[in-house]
Amino acid sequence: MAAPLLEKLSESLGSPEPAIRLILSVLVGYPFALVYRWFLFYQPATVVHLFHICSGLALAAFNFGSQLYHSAVCVFVQFLMLRLMGRTVTGVLSSFTFQMLYLLAGYYYTATEEYDIKWTMPHCVLTLKLIGESITSQLSADQAKAALPSVPTLLEVFGFSYFYGGFLVGPQFTMRNYQKLVSRELTDCPGKPPNSVVPALKRFALGFLCLAMYAIFSPSFPDTYLLTDEYEAQPFWYRCVFILLWGKFMLYKYVSCWVIEGVCILAGLGYNGVVNGKHQWDACANMKVWLFETTPLFGGTIASFNINTNAWAARHVFKRLKFLGNKTLSHVATLLFLTIWHGLHSGYILCFSMEFFIITVERQAQALVLDSPLLTSLANSHFYPFVYIVQQFIHWLFMGYPLVPFCLFTYDKWLKVYSSVYFCGHLFFLVAYLILPFLRITLVPKKDRREKKQD
């Protein structure tokens, strides 16, 4: 009965059936959260865990059918490793190796040249969760918050893994926070369900707006058009502007799913304490939408996007490479991990390598502006609105540029697109990388540069 209805809905909306299933699964998290608040909040932990497990497995079955066994196997193996090896170096290495190899094998055997919604999509989210469970040594206050006081039970591991608010598309959250949710600690009213309905509805409304924008504008900027002869025949400026707009609206596919994490807020998992006398509900926020829309900086967009995954990588990869004694090496290693975690296509390698290069150039430019009195005064003058518009154009043009290989995957496709725009992004940042140090020497007095280094 459900299949014909989904087919009709897919045809009427012009979206693939797997995408419709995914969106419905994300939205059904709200009724699940209400069931938890109204009927299960005061129930024993065992009942809550079972509800989370059953609801998560139902979503997995609805989207991926019998392939849900992949997640179940990995969750059970992770529990066995936690029990048998505990919180040891051997346990961490075993968990990391098994979970990553299983994910990469899944990528290898299911990969196509298109973006498909299949079991590996939620499994990449699950992989980080499961690896994070085994990493508990305390290296910082941030890591101490995520550390587990003891090895979790089987029900806790499965409930944490299949929690309906994060199983399919995230966000990432720690086992420690999940345990606090089940023990009724994540609430602004001790002993009572949190007053989170209004914050959750606000987040839902924002997510729905982002989803509507994607549904309205993305059909006008399809990935496939980049590969057509018609696109290649357009003027150079048109091709560049198309990449700019395509990249902007394409990202709303991810933004809409992550902003609808109001499910986590409604359940209480989003509670983040009190700041300046106000209760905060952003513990699971995966997007800073205002920053995403207004920042003219590449670093600002990265800081606003997929926040919890970036925080996971910073906590469990970047900071644990402190022994290298070099932040650049740690940064490169972290981006390499994220590249492999995303998949095996060459496009991911190129995208994340370009991210590193772009951020490096942007930091050089920021240092030049901050050190140069002339450029600083210009940035603070009444010309700034014009400067801001130029910044935004460059920002989104070269934000869409590295997304080309990220979305097109294979080298024959992204090479065709880059050839059509004469590799302008590569050339722009290569020239900037070479010329910015020279400009700093020319425009910034040696004394000021020396003071900058001392600071």
Side-chain angles (χ1 to χ4, degrees):
M1 181 68 180
L5 289 176
L6 287 172
E7 289 178 7
K8 291 181 180 179
L9 186 60
S10 174
E11 291 176 3
S12 61
L13 295 177
S15 297
E17 186 177 325
I20 299 297
R21 288 178 180 270
L22 177 63
I23 292 298
L24 291 177
S25 299
V26 171
L27 294 177
V28 82
Y30 284 91
F32 284 159
L34 289 175
V35 169
Y36 164 70
R37 289 171 59 94
W38 292 343
F39 305 108
L40 302 176
F41 186 82
Y42 298 105
Q43 295 299 315
T46 299
V47 176
V48 177
H49 290 315
L50 289 173
F51 172 68
H52 292 160
I53 294 168
C54 292
S55 56
L57 285 172
L59 293 178
F62 177 66
N63 284 273
F64 312 111
S66 62
Q67 291 183 330
L68 66 84
Y69 78 86
H70 292 290
S71 60
V73 167
C74 288
V75 173
F76 186 68
V77 170
Q78 181 65 34
F79 169 75
L80 290 179
M81 287 191 289
L82 288 171
R83 281 294 175 183
L84 297 175
M85 303 178 194
R87 294 170 291 171
T88 63
V89 174
T90 303
V92 173
L93 293 177
S94 299
S95 173
F96 184 90
T97 302
F98 174 80
Q99 301 296 351
M100 284 300 296
L101 285 179
Y102 199 104
L103 176 65
L104 294 179
Y107 285 150
Y108 180 80
Y109 286 108
T110 66
T112 67
E113 294 187 2
E114 306 293 335
Y115 183 83
D116 301 317
I117 297 176
K118 47 187 178 290
W119 68 266
T120 53
M121 185 199 69
H123 202 86
C124 69
V125 178
L126 179 64
T127 296
L128 297 191
K129 284 184 180 180
L130 297 178
I131 293 174
E133 281 184 281
S134 64
I135 305 177
T136 56
S137 58
Q138 299 180 17
L139 297 181
S140 67
D142 180 48
Q143 291 162 344
K145 292 179 182 178
L148 299 174
S150 61
V151 176
T153 66
L154 179 63
L155 283 179
E156 284 180 321
V157 173
F158 270 83
F160 164 72
S161 301
Y162 285 108
F163 175 69
Y164 49 83
F167 171 66
L168 290 172
V169 294
Q172 291 290 331
F173 52 89
T174 65
M175 169 63 87
R176 188 72 193 101
N177 274 1
Y178 175 75
Q179 291 173 332
K180 289 181 179 179
L181 172 71
V182 175
S183 61
R184 299 187 288 276
E185 296 177 48
L186 294 181
T187 177
D188 57 335
C189 303
K192 297 180 180 180
N195 293 311
S196 57
V197 174
V198 173
L201 289 177
K202 288 181 179 179
R203 201 66 178 173
F204 170 79
L206 183 58
F208 188 80
L209 176 62
C210 293
L211 182 61
M213 290 182 66
Y214 174 72
I216 293 170
F217 293 106
S218 63
S220 301
F221 302 95
D223 301 354
T224 52
Y225 184 70
L226 292 166
L227 302 171
T228 62
D229 294 335
E230 181 183 347
Y231 171 77
E232 199 165 355
Q234 297 290 349
F236 174 73
W237 68 266
Y238 182 95
R239 283 171 269 159
C240 291
V241 172
F242 186 91
I243 289 178
L244 182 155
L245 296 173
W246 164 81
K248 176 71 172 179
F249 292 118
M250 184 278 300
L251 287 177
Y252 278 110
K253 173 172 61 179
Y254 302 97
V255 173
S256 58
C257 287
W258 289 333
V259 172
I260 303 182
E261 92 284 331
V263 172
C264 294
I265 297 174
L266 190 59
L269 193 61
Y271 185 63
N272 204 20
V274 180
V275 176
N276 297 326
K278 294 184 178 180
H279 294 285
Q280 304 297 309
W281 302 98
D282 58 355
C284 292
N286 219 20
M287 282 293 306
K288 295 179 180 178
V289 179
W290 180 252
L291 178 62
F292 175 78
E293 294 293 347
T294 60
T295 181
L297 303 175
F298 297 98
T301 298
I302 293 171
S304 70
F305 193 81
N306 205 1
I307 296 169
N308 290 291
T309 298
N310 291 336
W312 190 100
R315 182 169 61 247
H316 293 311
V317 181
F318 181 82
K319 291 182 180 179
R320 293 177 187 277
L321 295 174
K322 189 176 181 180
F323 67 89
L324 295 176
N326 187 301
K327 286 187 176 181
T328 300
L329 286 178
S330 298
H331 188 190
V332 170
T334 303
L335 288 176
L336 179 60
F337 168 78
L338 289 174
T339 299
I340 298 171
W341 174 72
H342 273 87
L344 302 176
H345 291 296
S346 63
Y348 294 131
I349 299 174
L350 185 59
C351 175
F352 283 99
S353 61
M354 289 182 66
E355 176 187 325
F356 174 78
F357 194 52
I358 290 171
I359 290 298
T360 300
V361 170
E362 182 172 80
R363 287 173 178 170
Q364 289 179 335
Q366 286 178 301
L368 173 62
V369 172
L370 291 174
D371 286 351
S372 170
L374 175 63
L375 294 177
T376 300
S377 63
L378 178 63
N380 294 325
S381 70
H382 59 276
F383 290 108
Y384 180 70
F386 174 75
V387 174
Y388 177 80
I389 293 172
V390 173
Q391 272 187 295
Q392 279 287 23
F393 179 82
I394 295 174
H395 165 224
W396 279 111
L397 173 59
F398 294 112
M399 197 71 209
Y401 193 83
L403 289 173
V404 169
F406 185 88
C407 295
L408 298 184
F409 298 146
T410 58
Y411 77 92
D412 57 319
K413 293 181 178 179
W414 54 256
L415 188 61
K416 176 180 174 64
V417 178
Y418 281 157
S419 298
S420 70
V421 292
Y422 314 115
F423 295 92
C424 63
H426 295 77
L427 293 174
F428 178 86
F429 284 102
L430 178 60
V431 171
Y433 181 78
L434 295 174
I435 201 173
L436 283 172
F438 173 76
L439 289 176
R440 191 165 184 265
I441 293 173
T442 304
L443 297 177
V444 181
K446 186 176 182 181
K447 176 176 66 69
D448 292 340
R449 296 200 305 272
R450 190 164 52 246
E451 288 175 357
K452 179 65 179 178
K453 290 180 180 179
Q454 290 173 353
D455 291 341

